[in-house]
């Protein structure tokens, strides 16, 4: 059996994938782990409790994937490494980390706003200092097996990777005025609109370099196929899926899809969703965040692409998210306020 557990952390990504191999051994993968600037809320009160249970059972983390260096994704592993006594006692139970990073610019970005670079450099250096096994340069097409699970990386592609490394290494970046985060999304919530009022043909894709550097992957287990898209976007995901021969004749069969970038309307197009055959989707967005994510427009696209119905899971429930569905017709969409999944 394979389980996928999303730890409720507002809009932060923190995923634990566990499965039993045919020989009866337990295996665990972690994906991201919450906000670096909220160590008590994300790490001490939530993620650490899961780590304690796992380690006390004598089990290991086969792989910890840091999808990209945004602050809301890297906090789990960074705070684990800096939880000195706990980390020292269990360092041997963390087998490998995936993280894409640059390595030439050792400068500090002097400007307002948390852009991700500085925290990413801190994590990179901490991983090296602790001599943790880290693989970097993970690109579309890379495949690895862990017992009964196969992981196929579908993003980033080579072009996105080169842009990311150039961004990281460019010393002139410190002279920019606008934060990269500020380019992701502006405006307010779109929750007051009805699903039928959105122009589902319009799609203005996210060009943010860190999001496009996200490690997205397909996990295969005993005939099941799960897509973890991180903060990537449609064009990059499609390219990687085709390269891996997973999307065949423009169609993709999945058992679970993690909708990219907390449900942003700049990362998942209607046409992409229409080519996916899947009954379970998940969004790690709580509405109450500075980017006003998820976008209701993304949910409208999902409804349009699944007239026969599907399930949309959120990692937690709150009044803001409920506004998306208040006094509106969401067709055959079934909304679930949990994100725990099991696959035999």
């Amino acid at each position: 059996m394979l389980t996928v557990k999303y730890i409720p952390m507002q809009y932060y990504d923190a995923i634990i994938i566990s499965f039993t191999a045919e020989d009866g051994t337990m295996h665990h993968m972690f994906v991201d782990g919450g906000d670096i600037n909220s160590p008590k809320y994300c790490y001490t009160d939530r993620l650490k409790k899961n780590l304690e249970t796992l380690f006390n059972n004598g089990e290991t983390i086969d792989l910890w994937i840091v999808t990209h260096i945004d602050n809301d994704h890297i906090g789990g592993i960074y705070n684990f490494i800096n939880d000195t006594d706990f980390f020292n006692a269990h360092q041997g139970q963390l087998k490998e980390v995936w993280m894409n990073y640059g390595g030439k610019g050792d400068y500090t970005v002097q400007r307002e706003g948390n852009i991700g670079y500085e925290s990413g450099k801190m994590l990179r250096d901490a991983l090296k200092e602790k001599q943790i096994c880290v693989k970097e340069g993970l690109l579309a097409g890379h495949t690895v097996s862990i017992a009964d699970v196969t992981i196929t990386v579908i993003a980033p592609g080579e072009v996105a990777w080169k842009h990311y490394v150039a961004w990281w290494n460019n010393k002139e970046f410190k002279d920019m005025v606008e934060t990269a985060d500020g380019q992701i999304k502006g405006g307010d919530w779109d929750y007051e609109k009805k699903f039928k009022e959105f122009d589902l043909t319009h799609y203005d894709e996210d060009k943010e370099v860190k999001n496009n550097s996200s490690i997205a992957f397909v996990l295969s287990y005993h005939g099941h196929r799960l897509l973890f898209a991180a903060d990537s976007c449609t064009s990059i995901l499609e390219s990687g899926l085709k390269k891996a021969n997973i999307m065949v004749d423009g169609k993709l069969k999945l058992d679970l899809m993690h909708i990219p970038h907390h449900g942003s309307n700049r990362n998942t197009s209607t046409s992409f969703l229409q080519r996916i055959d899947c009954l379970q989707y998940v969004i790690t967005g709580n509405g109450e965040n500075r980017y006003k994510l998820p976008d209701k427009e993304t949910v409208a696209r999902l409804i349009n692409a699944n007239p026969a119905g599907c399930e949309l899971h959120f990692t937690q429930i709150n009044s803001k998210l409920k506004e998306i569905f208040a006094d509106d017709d969401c067709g055959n969409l079934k909304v679930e306020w949990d994100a725990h999944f099991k696959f035999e």
Side-chain angles (χ1 to χ4, degrees), residues 140-141 152-155 217-218 225-227 234-248 251-252 254 257 272 276:
T152 303
V153 176
I154 59 169
F217 62 95
V218 170
R225 185 179 282 169
L226 292 66
L227 170 58
T234 287
S235 64
I236 293 176
L237 294 172
E238 283 188 329
S239 177
L241 288 164
K242 291 174 183 176
K243 181 176 181 178
N245 294 318
I246 295 175
M247 178 172 272
V248 180
K251 300 292 184 180
L252 176 62
L254 296 171
M257 178 178 172
F272 183 50
I276 294 174

Side-chain angles (χ1 to χ4, degrees), residues 5 31 136 146 148 160 178 226 242 259 269 272 303 334:
K5 176 182 179 181
V31 182
E136 55 95 16
I146 301 174
D148 296 14
E178 184 183 12
L226 292 66
K242 291 174 183 176
I259 293 179
S269 70
F272 183 50
I303 293 170
K334 183 179 180 182

Side-chain angles (χ1 to χ4, degrees), residues 4-14 190-191 195 256-264 280-289 292-300 302-303 310-326 330 333-341:
V4 179
K5 176 182 179 181
Y6 282 77
I7 303 175
M9 285 190 186
Q10 296 179 2
Y11 75 102
Y12 309 126
D13 282 16
D190 60 357
Y191 299 174
F195 287 120
L256 176 67
M257 178 178 172
H258 175 119
I259 293 179
H261 197 197
H262 318 288
S264 169
Q280 296 184 109
Y281 298 81
V282 60
I283 289 179
T284 56
N286 69 340
E288 297 174 335
N289 54 79
K292 314 297 192 297
L293 296 174
D295 290 308
K296 184 170 180 175
E297 183 173 4
T298 301
V299 181
L302 185 65
I303 293 170
C310 63
E311 295 179 359
L312 175 57
H313 294 251
F314 291 92
T315 52
Q316 62 185 69
I317 185 172
N318 61 36
S319 58
K320 193 66 192 180
L321 280 179
K322 287 184 176 180
E323 290 181 18
I324 295 176
F325 308 98
C330 58
L333 182 70
K334 183 179 180 182
V335 180
E336 300 284 355
W337 302 107
D338 74 87
H340 293 177
F341 307 92

Side-chain angles (χ1 to χ4, degrees), residues 17-21 23 25-29 60 62 146-148:
I17 303 168
S18 304
F19 67 95
T20 307
D23 62 3
T25 57
M26 283 296 301
H27 296 266
H28 304 278
M29 290 174 51
T60 61
D62 294 87
I146 301 174
D148 296 14

Side-chain angles (χ1 to χ4, degrees), residues 3 12-13 19 109 149 155 157 168 176 179 186-187 227 255 261 278 319-320:
T3 63
Y12 309 126
D13 282 16
F19 67 95
V109 177
V149 159
W168 186 301
M176 292 178 65
T179 66
L227 170 58
D255 295 280
H261 197 197
C278 183
S319 58
K320 193 66 192 180

